[in-house]
Amino acid sequence: MVSWERVIEITKWSQEKKTEAVVWSIEVSSCLNTAGVSLPSVELAHRLVTHICWENNVPATWKYLEKAMEVRMVPPFLVLALLSTKVVPNRHPVLHPAAYSLYLHLLNRHAFSLSSLVNSPNYPSLMNSIHHVLSLSQLYDDYHHDVPSHPHPGVALVQFLFTLVWQLLQASLQDEGLLQRHKSLLFVDPGLDLTIEKLDNPHHLHAKNTATAIQFIARFLHHKLTSRILSLVQRNMSTHWGAFVDELEQLAANSLILRSLKHLSPDSFFPLNLKSNWPMSCEPNNNNNKKKKKKKMKLSSMLAASASASAVQSHNDSSLWLPIDLILEDAMDAHHVMAATIELLTGLVKALQAINGTAWHNTFLGLWIAALRLVQR
């Protein structure tokens, strides 16, 4: 049985001796292998983050953590989730702004490599760990009301990514004194006064961190993969998406830091197709609210089924594309293909391609086979 105290002892000794990160990783890996611990290790991720925050918040330990993420001693996305709950609320200049800077560095390095997460053999259990770390069922309690305590990994992935981006957004708003106090603050402490006073000093670390966070928000919104995953929130969690868009507009309209950035402007901050609270071209009227709600919940269930299948089956398995079959069935039941259905199907195909981590060739085959099955039926 592994002695986690021994792992921490190795880490502390390495800190004192200023041991290189690669040497530390070899020693810790050897210790864990001897104890029969498989890597990446969820427990090691918890231990390292707890070790750093905050008694050992020194450059050496951050280098060790970065190396552990790089060589997959720990699950990178779980580490990001753990750090987000500890670092972001403590980013104030008198607390740990350097840690926030390092967190943003790790976020930039790992958050856009979602295919490695989805294709990992322990994807379902890892997403379940992230779900509990971030308390996603509490953050999105209305969505999880009728959902089991262990949600499908695809749903957890979508909500995890959305939470990371929304947290950056609310932190940036709070840094400039723009966050409304009555809003849900995720992991941002509403009692902190984090308003930046010296915006004219470009070398001020706190202001620099906020500028970096704003640029990352824009990157998440424009990135080919992450924007499509976020569009699933737009389609299936309209209440949360509406609040998110309101805060995006608040930042775009009032952020002095955003206006000072050279390669980003309020007009280009986030794409037009993500501004709407509703996935279709117009909002539903009162007569078909229930029908729309049923469709949205159905799409959520289909995403969950597809995401669950993607974790355990090959990319060529038709079960990955089951949501397409259901959308086509709905279109045939209506006896005509409406423009809204085409738009929904287009967005769903793009999102499933992102979630399943498949090449477009396999994605097209999935769509084609779904159409053939529809003809056969």
mmCIF file of all heavy atoms in Angstrom, residues 104-151:
data_model
loop_
_atom_site.group_PDB
_atom_site.id
_atom_site.type_symbol
_atom_site.label_atom_id
_atom_site.label_comp_id
_atom_site.label_asym_id
_atom_site.label_seq_id
_atom_site.Cartn_x
_atom_site.Cartn_y
_atom_site.Cartn_z
ATOM 1 N N LEU A 104 -3.196 30.295 -14.900
ATOM 2 C CA LEU A 104 -3.555 30.683 -16.262
ATOM 3 C C LEU A 104 -2.603 30.058 -17.276
ATOM 4 O O LEU A 104 -3.014 29.660 -18.373
ATOM 5 C CB LEU A 104 -3.541 32.212 -16.389
ATOM 6 C CG LEU A 104 -4.627 32.958 -15.601
ATOM 7 C CD1 LEU A 104 -4.407 34.464 -15.681
ATOM 8 C CD2 LEU A 104 -6.015 32.590 -16.108
ATOM 9 N N HIS A 105 -1.337 29.955 -16.905
ATOM 10 C CA HIS A 105 -0.357 29.302 -17.779
ATOM 11 C C HIS A 105 -0.727 27.837 -18.002
ATOM 12 O O HIS A 105 -0.703 27.346 -19.145
ATOM 13 C CB HIS A 105 1.035 29.416 -17.158
ATOM 14 C CG HIS A 105 2.053 28.512 -17.781
ATOM 15 N ND1 HIS A 105 2.582 28.723 -19.043
ATOM 16 C CD2 HIS A 105 2.635 27.362 -17.318
ATOM 17 C CE1 HIS A 105 3.436 27.755 -19.335
ATOM 18 N NE2 HIS A 105 3.491 26.921 -18.312
ATOM 19 N N LEU A 106 -1.064 27.137 -16.939
ATOM 20 C CA LEU A 106 -1.439 25.724 -17.056
ATOM 21 C C LEU A 106 -2.753 25.568 -17.810
ATOM 22 O O LEU A 106 -2.933 24.620 -18.582
ATOM 23 C CB LEU A 106 -1.547 25.099 -15.664
ATOM 24 C CG LEU A 106 -0.243 25.004 -14.866
ATOM 25 C CD1 LEU A 106 -0.517 24.460 -13.466
ATOM 26 C CD2 LEU A 106 0.777 24.120 -15.586
ATOM 27 N N LEU A 107 -3.664 26.495 -17.595
ATOM 28 C CA LEU A 107 -4.941 26.462 -18.304
ATOM 29 C C LEU A 107 -4.719 26.599 -19.805
ATOM 30 O O LEU A 107 -5.299 25.857 -20.611
ATOM 31 C CB LEU A 107 -5.839 27.590 -17.791
ATOM 32 C CG LEU A 107 -7.298 27.586 -18.243
ATOM 33 C CD1 LEU A 107 -8.045 26.423 -17.619
ATOM 34 C CD2 LEU A 107 -7.969 28.911 -17.871
ATOM 35 N N ASN A 108 -3.872 27.524 -20.182
ATOM 36 C CA ASN A 108 -3.575 27.737 -21.597
ATOM 37 C C ASN A 108 -2.900 26.520 -22.219
ATOM 38 O O ASN A 108 -3.138 26.179 -23.379
ATOM 39 C CB ASN A 108 -2.675 28.965 -21.751
ATOM 40 C CG ASN A 108 -2.331 29.255 -23.197
ATOM 41 O OD1 ASN A 108 -3.206 29.387 -24.043
ATOM 42 N ND2 ASN A 108 -1.041 29.345 -23.483
ATOM 43 N N ARG A 109 -2.096 25.843 -21.431
ATOM 44 C CA ARG A 109 -1.324 24.716 -21.955
ATOM 45 C C ARG A 109 -2.159 23.449 -22.111
ATOM 46 O O ARG A 109 -1.902 22.644 -23.006
ATOM 47 C CB ARG A 109 -0.136 24.444 -21.029
ATOM 48 C CG ARG A 109 0.809 23.386 -21.548
ATOM 49 C CD ARG A 109 2.110 23.385 -20.789
ATOM 50 N NE ARG A 109 3.066 22.449 -21.352
ATOM 51 C CZ ARG A 109 4.301 22.287 -20.908
ATOM 52 N NH1 ARG A 109 4.730 23.020 -19.894
ATOM 53 N NH2 ARG A 109 5.109 21.415 -21.467
ATOM 54 N N HIS A 110 -3.161 23.263 -21.257
ATOM 55 C CA HIS A 110 -3.864 21.979 -21.240
ATOM 56 C C HIS A 110 -5.345 22.047 -21.614
ATOM 57 O O HIS A 110 -5.900 21.039 -22.061
ATOM 58 C CB HIS A 110 -3.740 21.341 -19.851
ATOM 59 C CG HIS A 110 -2.344 20.956 -19.482
ATOM 60 N ND1 HIS A 110 -1.738 19.796 -19.932
ATOM 61 C CD2 HIS A 110 -1.418 21.589 -18.709
ATOM 62 C CE1 HIS A 110 -0.511 19.722 -19.452
ATOM 63 N NE2 HIS A 110 -0.292 20.789 -18.707
ATOM 64 N N ALA A 111 -5.999 23.175 -21.411
ATOM 65 C CA ALA A 111 -7.458 23.213 -21.536
ATOM 66 C C ALA A 111 -7.959 23.018 -22.957
ATOM 67 O O ALA A 111 -9.136 22.703 -23.159
ATOM 68 C CB ALA A 111 -7.995 24.537 -20.984
ATOM 69 N N PHE A 112 -7.091 23.194 -23.942
ATOM 70 C CA PHE A 112 -7.531 23.063 -25.327
ATOM 71 C C PHE A 112 -7.142 21.709 -25.929
ATOM 72 O O PHE A 112 -7.266 21.511 -27.134
ATOM 73 C CB PHE A 112 -6.949 24.206 -26.163
ATOM 74 C CG PHE A 112 -7.400 25.562 -25.697
ATOM 75 C CD1 PHE A 112 -6.642 26.293 -24.792
ATOM 76 C CD2 PHE A 112 -8.605 26.100 -26.128
ATOM 77 C CE1 PHE A 112 -7.066 27.537 -24.344
ATOM 78 C CE2 PHE A 112 -9.037 27.339 -25.685
ATOM 79 C CZ PHE A 112 -8.265 28.059 -24.788
ATOM 80 N N SER A 113 -6.695 20.786 -25.084
ATOM 81 C CA SER A 113 -6.328 19.439 -25.539
ATOM 82 C C SER A 113 -7.386 18.441 -25.081
ATOM 83 O O SER A 113 -7.090 17.451 -24.409
ATOM 84 C CB SER A 113 -4.950 19.051 -24.988
ATOM 85 O OG SER A 113 -3.968 19.981 -25.372
ATOM 86 N N LEU A 114 -8.622 18.714 -25.448
ATOM 87 C CA LEU A 114 -9.738 17.910 -24.947
ATOM 88 C C LEU A 114 -9.761 16.500 -25.519
ATOM 89 O O LEU A 114 -10.304 15.585 -24.902
ATOM 90 C CB LEU A 114 -11.058 18.620 -25.258
ATOM 91 C CG LEU A 114 -11.305 19.905 -24.463
ATOM 92 C CD1 LEU A 114 -12.492 20.658 -25.029
ATOM 93 C CD2 LEU A 114 -11.522 19.602 -22.997
ATOM 94 N N SER A 115 -9.185 16.307 -26.696
ATOM 95 C CA SER A 115 -9.215 14.970 -27.292
ATOM 96 C C SER A 115 -8.463 13.966 -26.431
ATOM 97 O O SER A 115 -8.868 12.804 -26.320
ATOM 98 C CB SER A 115 -8.621 15.004 -28.703
ATOM 99 O OG SER A 115 -7.277 15.454 -28.669
ATOM 100 N N SER A 116 -7.373 14.412 -25.796
ATOM 101 C CA SER A 116 -6.622 13.498 -24.928
ATOM 102 C C SER A 116 -7.449 13.096 -23.717
ATOM 103 O O SER A 116 -7.325 11.983 -23.207
ATOM 104 C CB SER A 116 -5.317 14.162 -24.472
ATOM 105 O OG SER A 116 -5.580 15.330 -23.701
ATOM 106 N N LEU A 117 -8.312 13.994 -23.259
ATOM 107 C CA LEU A 117 -9.184 13.683 -22.127
ATOM 108 C C LEU A 117 -10.262 12.691 -22.535
ATOM 109 O O LEU A 117 -10.476 11.668 -21.872
ATOM 110 C CB LEU A 117 -9.819 14.970 -21.598
ATOM 111 C CG LEU A 117 -10.951 14.814 -20.579
ATOM 112 C CD1 LEU A 117 -10.427 14.178 -19.295
ATOM 113 C CD2 LEU A 117 -11.597 16.159 -20.279
ATOM 114 N N VAL A 118 -10.947 12.971 -23.639
ATOM 115 C CA VAL A 118 -12.064 12.135 -24.072
ATOM 116 C C VAL A 118 -11.599 10.736 -24.446
ATOM 117 O O VAL A 118 -12.306 9.747 -24.222
ATOM 118 C CB VAL A 118 -12.794 12.804 -25.257
ATOM 119 C CG1 VAL A 118 -13.876 11.894 -25.819
ATOM 120 C CG2 VAL A 118 -13.403 14.131 -24.821
ATOM 121 N N ASN A 119 -10.394 10.631 -24.998
ATOM 122 C CA ASN A 119 -9.894 9.338 -25.459
ATOM 123 C C ASN A 119 -9.167 8.543 -24.377
ATOM 124 O O ASN A 119 -8.718 7.430 -24.634
ATOM 125 C CB ASN A 119 -8.954 9.536 -26.653
ATOM 126 C CG ASN A 119 -9.677 10.064 -27.874
ATOM 127 O OD1 ASN A 119 -10.825 9.706 -28.115
ATOM 128 N ND2 ASN A 119 -9.025 10.922 -28.640
ATOM 129 N N SER A 120 -9.034 9.103 -23.181
ATOM 130 C CA SER A 120 -8.346 8.379 -22.114
ATOM 131 C C SER A 120 -9.226 7.238 -21.608
ATOM 132 O O SER A 120 -10.454 7.348 -21.577
ATOM 133 C CB SER A 120 -8.003 9.324 -20.961
ATOM 134 O OG SER A 120 -9.176 9.847 -20.374
ATOM 135 N N PRO A 121 -8.624 6.113 -21.204
ATOM 136 C CA PRO A 121 -9.414 4.950 -20.771
ATOM 137 C C PRO A 121 -10.229 5.190 -19.505
ATOM 138 O O PRO A 121 -11.241 4.535 -19.283
ATOM 139 C CB PRO A 121 -8.344 3.872 -20.547
ATOM 140 C CG PRO A 121 -7.070 4.628 -20.330
ATOM 141 C CD PRO A 121 -7.172 5.854 -21.179
ATOM 142 N N ASN A 122 -9.782 6.131 -18.667
ATOM 143 C CA ASN A 122 -10.507 6.398 -17.422
ATOM 144 C C ASN A 122 -11.354 7.663 -17.519
ATOM 145 O O ASN A 122 -11.643 8.311 -16.512
ATOM 146 C CB ASN A 122 -9.525 6.523 -16.251
ATOM 147 C CG ASN A 122 -8.504 7.632 -16.471
ATOM 148 O OD1 ASN A 122 -8.328 8.107 -17.589
ATOM 149 N ND2 ASN A 122 -7.827 8.038 -15.413
ATOM 150 N N TYR A 123 -11.749 8.008 -18.743
ATOM 151 C CA TYR A 123 -12.530 9.223 -18.982
ATOM 152 C C TYR A 123 -13.791 9.314 -18.119
ATOM 153 O O TYR A 123 -14.023 10.342 -17.471
ATOM 154 C CB TYR A 123 -12.857 9.302 -20.477
ATOM 155 C CG TYR A 123 -13.855 10.356 -20.889
ATOM 156 C CD1 TYR A 123 -13.673 11.698 -20.563
ATOM 157 C CD2 TYR A 123 -14.976 10.012 -21.643
ATOM 158 C CE1 TYR A 123 -14.584 12.661 -20.965
ATOM 159 C CE2 TYR A 123 -15.887 10.968 -22.052
ATOM 160 C CZ TYR A 123 -15.689 12.291 -21.712
ATOM 161 O OH TYR A 123 -16.593 13.240 -22.110
ATOM 162 N N PRO A 124 -14.632 8.271 -18.042
ATOM 163 C CA PRO A 124 -15.851 8.391 -17.220
ATOM 164 C C PRO A 124 -15.560 8.651 -15.744
ATOM 165 O O PRO A 124 -16.176 9.528 -15.129
ATOM 166 C CB PRO A 124 -16.548 7.039 -17.424
ATOM 167 C CG PRO A 124 -16.022 6.528 -18.720
ATOM 168 C CD PRO A 124 -14.598 6.986 -18.776
ATOM 169 N N SER A 125 -14.619 7.902 -15.160
ATOM 170 C CA SER A 125 -14.325 8.088 -13.737
ATOM 171 C C SER A 125 -13.659 9.434 -13.481
ATOM 172 O O SER A 125 -13.894 10.070 -12.443
ATOM 173 C CB SER A 125 -13.425 6.953 -13.229
ATOM 174 O OG SER A 125 -12.184 6.941 -13.916
ATOM 175 N N LEU A 126 -12.846 9.886 -14.423
ATOM 176 C CA LEU A 126 -12.188 11.176 -14.273
ATOM 177 C C LEU A 126 -13.205 12.311 -14.293
ATOM 178 O O LEU A 126 -13.145 13.234 -13.464
ATOM 179 C CB LEU A 126 -11.159 11.369 -15.388
ATOM 180 C CG LEU A 126 -10.396 12.693 -15.390
ATOM 181 C CD1 LEU A 126 -9.673 12.903 -14.070
ATOM 182 C CD2 LEU A 126 -9.409 12.724 -16.552
ATOM 183 N N MET A 127 -14.163 12.252 -15.210
ATOM 184 C CA MET A 127 -15.183 13.292 -15.265
ATOM 185 C C MET A 127 -16.065 13.259 -14.023
ATOM 186 O O MET A 127 -16.548 14.297 -13.563
ATOM 187 C CB MET A 127 -16.036 13.138 -16.523
ATOM 188 C CG MET A 127 -15.295 13.434 -17.826
ATOM 189 S SD MET A 127 -14.297 14.944 -17.795
ATOM 190 C CE MET A 127 -15.502 16.182 -17.319
ATOM 191 N N ASN A 128 -16.256 12.074 -13.460
ATOM 192 C CA ASN A 128 -17.017 11.982 -12.218
ATOM 193 C C ASN A 128 -16.263 12.673 -11.078
ATOM 194 O O ASN A 128 -16.867 13.355 -10.242
ATOM 195 C CB ASN A 128 -17.275 10.518 -11.867
ATOM 196 C CG ASN A 128 -18.204 10.358 -10.682
ATOM 197 O OD1 ASN A 128 -19.315 10.895 -10.660
ATOM 198 N ND2 ASN A 128 -17.757 9.620 -9.678
ATOM 199 N N SER A 129 -14.935 12.516 -11.055
ATOM 200 C CA SER A 129 -14.121 13.195 -10.039
ATOM 201 C C SER A 129 -14.209 14.706 -10.198
ATOM 202 O O SER A 129 -14.363 15.445 -9.215
ATOM 203 C CB SER A 129 -12.660 12.740 -10.142
ATOM 204 O OG SER A 129 -12.523 11.368 -9.869
ATOM 205 N N ILE A 130 -14.118 15.178 -11.436
ATOM 206 C CA ILE A 130 -14.213 16.614 -11.703
ATOM 207 C C ILE A 130 -15.592 17.133 -11.321
ATOM 208 O O ILE A 130 -15.734 18.232 -10.760
ATOM 209 C CB ILE A 130 -13.907 16.893 -13.187
ATOM 210 C CG1 ILE A 130 -12.427 16.619 -13.472
ATOM 211 C CG2 ILE A 130 -14.276 18.320 -13.568
ATOM 212 C CD1 ILE A 130 -12.044 16.738 -14.935
ATOM 213 N N HIS A 131 -16.612 16.331 -11.607
ATOM 214 C CA HIS A 131 -17.986 16.700 -11.256
ATOM 215 C C HIS A 131 -18.121 16.962 -9.761
ATOM 216 O O HIS A 131 -18.762 17.929 -9.333
ATOM 217 C CB HIS A 131 -18.931 15.583 -11.701
ATOM 218 C CG HIS A 131 -20.342 15.744 -11.225
ATOM 219 N ND1 HIS A 131 -20.818 15.143 -10.079
ATOM 220 C CD2 HIS A 131 -21.380 16.448 -11.725
ATOM 221 C CE1 HIS A 131 -22.088 15.470 -9.902
ATOM 222 N NE2 HIS A 131 -22.456 16.252 -10.884
ATOM 223 N N HIS A 132 -17.481 16.126 -8.946
ATOM 224 C CA HIS A 132 -17.577 16.280 -7.495
ATOM 225 C C HIS A 132 -16.679 17.412 -6.985
ATOM 226 O O HIS A 132 -17.057 18.129 -6.051
ATOM 227 C CB HIS A 132 -17.228 14.966 -6.804
ATOM 228 C CG HIS A 132 -18.290 13.916 -6.954
ATOM 229 N ND1 HIS A 132 -19.536 14.026 -6.373
ATOM 230 C CD2 HIS A 132 -18.305 12.746 -7.641
ATOM 231 C CE1 HIS A 132 -20.271 12.971 -6.680
ATOM 232 N NE2 HIS A 132 -19.550 12.177 -7.450
ATOM 233 N N VAL A 133 -15.508 17.583 -7.585
ATOM 234 C CA VAL A 133 -14.608 18.659 -7.163
ATOM 235 C C VAL A 133 -15.267 20.022 -7.349
ATOM 236 O O VAL A 133 -15.187 20.901 -6.477
ATOM 237 C CB VAL A 133 -13.282 18.594 -7.951
ATOM 238 C CG1 VAL A 133 -12.482 19.889 -7.778
ATOM 239 C CG2 VAL A 133 -12.452 17.404 -7.492
ATOM 240 N N LEU A 134 -15.934 20.200 -8.475
ATOM 241 C CA LEU A 134 -16.555 21.489 -8.791
ATOM 242 C C LEU A 134 -18.001 21.582 -8.314
ATOM 243 O O LEU A 134 -18.634 22.627 -8.495
ATOM 244 C CB LEU A 134 -16.503 21.735 -10.301
ATOM 245 C CG LEU A 134 -15.106 21.865 -10.906
ATOM 246 C CD1 LEU A 134 -15.189 22.065 -12.410
ATOM 247 C CD2 LEU A 134 -14.336 23.010 -10.265
ATOM 248 N N SER A 135 -18.522 20.498 -7.739
ATOM 249 C CA SER A 135 -19.918 20.479 -7.274
ATOM 250 C C SER A 135 -20.862 20.935 -8.381
ATOM 251 O O SER A 135 -21.711 21.815 -8.193
ATOM 252 C CB SER A 135 -20.081 21.379 -6.040
ATOM 253 O OG SER A 135 -19.242 20.969 -4.994
ATOM 254 N N LEU A 136 -20.708 20.333 -9.551
ATOM 255 C CA LEU A 136 -21.488 20.753 -10.715
ATOM 256 C C LEU A 136 -22.985 20.571 -10.499
ATOM 257 O O LEU A 136 -23.791 21.344 -11.018
ATOM 258 C CB LEU A 136 -21.035 19.969 -11.953
ATOM 259 C CG LEU A 136 -19.607 20.248 -12.428
ATOM 260 C CD1 LEU A 136 -19.260 19.370 -13.626
ATOM 261 C CD2 LEU A 136 -19.419 21.717 -12.771
ATOM 262 N N SER A 137 -23.369 19.548 -9.731
ATOM 263 C CA SER A 137 -24.795 19.324 -9.488
ATOM 264 C C SER A 137 -25.401 20.448 -8.661
ATOM 265 O O SER A 137 -26.610 20.693 -8.729
ATOM 266 C CB SER A 137 -25.010 17.981 -8.789
ATOM 267 O OG SER A 137 -24.311 17.938 -7.559
ATOM 268 N N GLN A 138 -24.577 21.155 -7.878
ATOM 269 C CA GLN A 138 -25.072 22.298 -7.108
ATOM 270 C C GLN A 138 -25.055 23.572 -7.942
ATOM 271 O O GLN A 138 -25.962 24.399 -7.846
ATOM 272 C CB GLN A 138 -24.221 22.482 -5.851
ATOM 273 C CG GLN A 138 -24.300 21.318 -4.875
ATOM 274 C CD GLN A 138 -23.420 21.527 -3.655
ATOM 275 O OE1 GLN A 138 -23.107 22.648 -3.284
ATOM 276 N NE2 GLN A 138 -23.007 20.427 -3.032
ATOM 277 N N LEU A 139 -24.024 23.726 -8.764
ATOM 278 C CA LEU A 139 -23.955 24.908 -9.618
ATOM 279 C C LEU A 139 -25.098 24.932 -10.622
ATOM 280 O O LEU A 139 -25.639 25.993 -10.941
ATOM 281 C CB LEU A 139 -22.621 24.941 -10.370
ATOM 282 C CG LEU A 139 -21.365 25.226 -9.550
ATOM 283 C CD1 LEU A 139 -20.135 25.138 -10.429
ATOM 284 C CD2 LEU A 139 -21.451 26.591 -8.895
ATOM 285 N N TYR A 140 -25.455 23.756 -11.124
ATOM 286 C CA TYR A 140 -26.498 23.650 -12.138
ATOM 287 C C TYR A 140 -27.605 22.748 -11.610
ATOM 288 O O TYR A 140 -27.977 21.759 -12.236
ATOM 289 C CB TYR A 140 -25.903 23.112 -13.442
ATOM 290 C CG TYR A 140 -24.664 23.867 -13.862
ATOM 291 C CD1 TYR A 140 -23.402 23.275 -13.802
ATOM 292 C CD2 TYR A 140 -24.745 25.193 -14.281
ATOM 293 C CE1 TYR A 140 -22.264 23.977 -14.169
ATOM 294 C CE2 TYR A 140 -23.613 25.904 -14.645
ATOM 295 C CZ TYR A 140 -22.372 25.295 -14.584
ATOM 296 O OH TYR A 140 -21.250 26.000 -14.933
ATOM 297 N N ASP A 141 -28.129 23.097 -10.434
ATOM 298 C CA ASP A 141 -29.083 22.232 -9.745
ATOM 299 C C ASP A 141 -30.366 22.039 -10.532
ATOM 300 O O ASP A 141 -30.979 20.974 -10.491
ATOM 301 C CB ASP A 141 -29.399 22.783 -8.353
ATOM 302 C CG ASP A 141 -29.868 24.232 -8.389
ATOM 303 O OD1 ASP A 141 -29.745 24.867 -9.454
ATOM 304 O OD2 ASP A 141 -30.340 24.722 -7.358
ATOM 305 N N ASP A 142 -30.798 23.063 -11.288
ATOM 306 C CA ASP A 142 -32.024 22.900 -12.063
ATOM 307 C C ASP A 142 -31.843 21.884 -13.176
ATOM 308 O O ASP A 142 -32.756 21.139 -13.526
ATOM 309 C CB ASP A 142 -32.475 24.240 -12.653
ATOM 310 C CG ASP A 142 -31.397 24.911 -13.488
ATOM 311 O OD1 ASP A 142 -30.204 24.591 -13.279
ATOM 312 O OD2 ASP A 142 -31.742 25.753 -14.336
ATOM 313 N N TYR A 143 -30.622 21.819 -13.729
ATOM 314 C CA TYR A 143 -30.358 20.856 -14.797
ATOM 315 C C TYR A 143 -30.239 19.445 -14.233
ATOM 316 O O TYR A 143 -30.662 18.479 -14.848
ATOM 317 C CB TYR A 143 -29.069 21.229 -15.531
ATOM 318 C CG TYR A 143 -28.691 20.250 -16.619
ATOM 319 C CD1 TYR A 143 -29.226 20.367 -17.897
ATOM 320 C CD2 TYR A 143 -27.825 19.191 -16.361
ATOM 321 C CE1 TYR A 143 -28.902 19.470 -18.893
ATOM 322 C CE2 TYR A 143 -27.497 18.284 -17.352
ATOM 323 C CZ TYR A 143 -28.034 18.433 -18.612
ATOM 324 O OH TYR A 143 -27.717 17.533 -19.587
ATOM 325 N N HIS A 144 -29.653 19.312 -13.031
ATOM 326 C CA HIS A 144 -29.394 17.990 -12.451
ATOM 327 C C HIS A 144 -30.558 17.484 -11.604
ATOM 328 O O HIS A 144 -30.426 16.466 -10.938
ATOM 329 C CB HIS A 144 -28.130 18.046 -11.573
ATOM 330 C CG HIS A 144 -26.860 18.116 -12.358
ATOM 331 N ND1 HIS A 144 -26.234 17.003 -12.858
ATOM 332 C CD2 HIS A 144 -26.107 19.178 -12.741
ATOM 333 C CE1 HIS A 144 -25.136 17.362 -13.504
ATOM 334 N NE2 HIS A 144 -25.043 18.672 -13.450
ATOM 335 N N HIS A 145 -31.680 18.186 -11.638
ATOM 336 C CA HIS A 145 -32.799 17.803 -10.775
ATOM 337 C C HIS A 145 -33.247 16.365 -11.021
ATOM 338 O O HIS A 145 -33.520 15.616 -10.087
ATOM 339 C CB HIS A 145 -33.974 18.762 -10.999
ATOM 340 C CG HIS A 145 -35.166 18.456 -10.146
ATOM 341 N ND1 HIS A 145 -35.158 18.649 -8.776
ATOM 342 C CD2 HIS A 145 -36.389 17.949 -10.461
ATOM 343 C CE1 HIS A 145 -36.338 18.284 -8.284
ATOM 344 N NE2 HIS A 145 -37.097 17.854 -9.271
ATOM 345 N N ASP A 146 -33.317 15.978 -12.296
ATOM 346 C CA ASP A 146 -33.760 14.624 -12.639
ATOM 347 C C ASP A 146 -32.626 13.771 -13.187
ATOM 348 O O ASP A 146 -32.847 12.784 -13.876
ATOM 349 C CB ASP A 146 -34.891 14.684 -13.673
ATOM 350 C CG ASP A 146 -36.116 15.399 -13.122
ATOM 351 O OD1 ASP A 146 -36.435 15.168 -11.942
ATOM 352 O OD2 ASP A 146 -36.737 16.178 -13.868
ATOM 353 N N VAL A 147 -31.376 14.172 -12.892
ATOM 354 C CA VAL A 147 -30.212 13.462 -13.410
ATOM 355 C C VAL A 147 -29.546 12.707 -12.275
ATOM 356 O O VAL A 147 -29.471 13.205 -11.155
ATOM 357 C CB VAL A 147 -29.210 14.462 -14.048
ATOM 358 C CG1 VAL A 147 -27.972 13.735 -14.557
ATOM 359 C CG2 VAL A 147 -29.882 15.206 -15.191
ATOM 360 N N PRO A 148 -29.041 11.486 -12.512
ATOM 361 C CA PRO A 148 -28.377 10.722 -11.455
ATOM 362 C C PRO A 148 -27.178 11.468 -10.885
ATOM 363 O O PRO A 148 -26.638 12.385 -11.492
ATOM 364 C CB PRO A 148 -27.940 9.438 -12.186
ATOM 365 C CG PRO A 148 -28.831 9.344 -13.375
ATOM 366 C CD PRO A 148 -29.129 10.750 -13.776
ATOM 367 N N SER A 149 -26.748 11.038 -9.677
ATOM 368 C CA SER A 149 -25.629 11.702 -9.012
ATOM 369 C C SER A 149 -24.329 11.525 -9.774
ATOM 370 O O SER A 149 -23.380 12.267 -9.561
ATOM 371 C CB SER A 149 -25.470 11.159 -7.590
ATOM 372 O OG SER A 149 -25.264 9.753 -7.618
ATOM 373 N N HIS A 150 -24.269 10.529 -10.640
ATOM 374 C CA HIS A 150 -23.093 10.320 -11.480
ATOM 375 C C HIS A 150 -23.489 10.600 -12.929
ATOM 376 O O HIS A 150 -23.901 9.693 -13.654
ATOM 377 C CB HIS A 150 -22.564 8.892 -11.338
ATOM 378 C CG HIS A 150 -22.156 8.548 -9.938
ATOM 379 N ND1 HIS A 150 -21.021 9.067 -9.351
ATOM 380 C CD2 HIS A 150 -22.735 7.758 -9.003
ATOM 381 C CE1 HIS A 150 -20.911 8.595 -8.117
ATOM 382 N NE2 HIS A 150 -21.937 7.808 -7.884
ATOM 383 N N PRO A 151 -23.391 11.845 -13.377
ATOM 384 C CA PRO A 151 -23.843 12.197 -14.721
ATOM 385 C C PRO A 151 -22.951 11.573 -15.783
ATOM 386 O O PRO A 151 -21.808 11.182 -15.515
ATOM 387 C CB PRO A 151 -23.728 13.724 -14.736
ATOM 388 C CG PRO A 151 -22.633 14.018 -13.768
ATOM 389 C CD PRO A 151 -22.788 12.988 -12.680
#
